[in-house]
Amino acid sequence: MLDNYKKILVGLDGSVEATKAFDKAVATAIRNDAELVIANVIDLRAFQSISAYDSVVADDTHKGAENLINDFAEDAKAAGVTKITTRVEFGSPKVMLGQTLPKEENIDLIVLGATGLSYIERIFIGSVADYIIKNAPCDVLVVRQ
């Protein structure tokens, strides 16, 4: 029996894999008449190299992420998705996409792209997809090339 998803979360970071996940999430949202939650999580580790937390850099990063997400929201609307929510957050992408946002938004499907991390990279920083698969409170669809 196929599940009828009501609220679908797709995490976007500008990568090719994320764009493929977005396309699959849009198709799934249309097929299920579901709400699509489009999210970008700005990894706070990106600011560790800045000696003092610079609010200008953070604001610029946030604005860029909002522009990215809004462009995808327009694409989803043009494709026929009628219910769209956008979220831009600071934090750990793993935790935000795998636990926080699904609980806050009552998500029943997370769609994300498989990344091209090497074995060594996965050992040191871990795979976002792997973390989400293991910790998500709902179904997860990992889109591969």
Side-chain angles (χ1 to χ4, degrees):
M1 180 172 135
L2 295 175
D3 286 326
N4 185 24
Y5 297 109
K6 293 176 179 52
K7 210 161 184 186
I8 300 167
L9 170 65
V10 60
L12 300 177
D13 60 5
S15 68
V16 172
E17 294 85 2
T19 301
K20 290 179 182 182
F22 170 77
D23 292 342
K24 183 73 79 170
V26 166
T28 306
I30 292 169
R31 191 170 51 250
N32 287 271
D33 191 30
E35 179 176 348
L36 183 62
V37 179
I38 305 170
N40 177 272
V41 179
I42 301 165
D43 195 338
L44 290 175
R45 291 178 298 177
F47 296 101
Q48 287 178 347
S49 62
I50 300 172
S51 59
Y53 186 78
D54 187 346
S55 64
V56 174
V57 173
D59 288 345
D60 287 347
T61 302
H62 193 271
K63 286 177 188 170
E66 283 181 339
N67 290 337
L68 173 78
I69 294 301
N70 289 335
D71 287 347
F72 277 101
E74 288 300 318
D75 290 347
K77 184 186 265 186
V81 179
T82 58
K83 296 169 269 187
I84 302 167
T85 300
T86 59
R87 298 279 303 257
V88 176
E89 303 289 340
F90 284 96
S92 165
K94 292 177 182 183
V95 175
M96 293 298 291
L97 294 172
Q99 294 178 309
T100 306
L101 292 177
K103 290 175 184 171
E104 287 179 3
E105 294 285 345
N106 198 27
I107 299 296
D108 50 17
L109 176 65
I110 301 169
V111 181
L112 39 98
T115 61
L117 293 180
S118 71
Y119 175 73
I120 298 299
E121 288 170 319
R122 283 193 304 270
I123 289 173
F124 288 109
I125 62 173
S127 165
V128 172
D130 185 54
Y131 180 90
I132 292 171
I133 290 165
K134 290 178 181 173
N135 295 285
C138 60
D139 289 350
V140 178
L141 173 61
V142 179
V143 178
R144 301 199 183 277
Q145 296 187 25

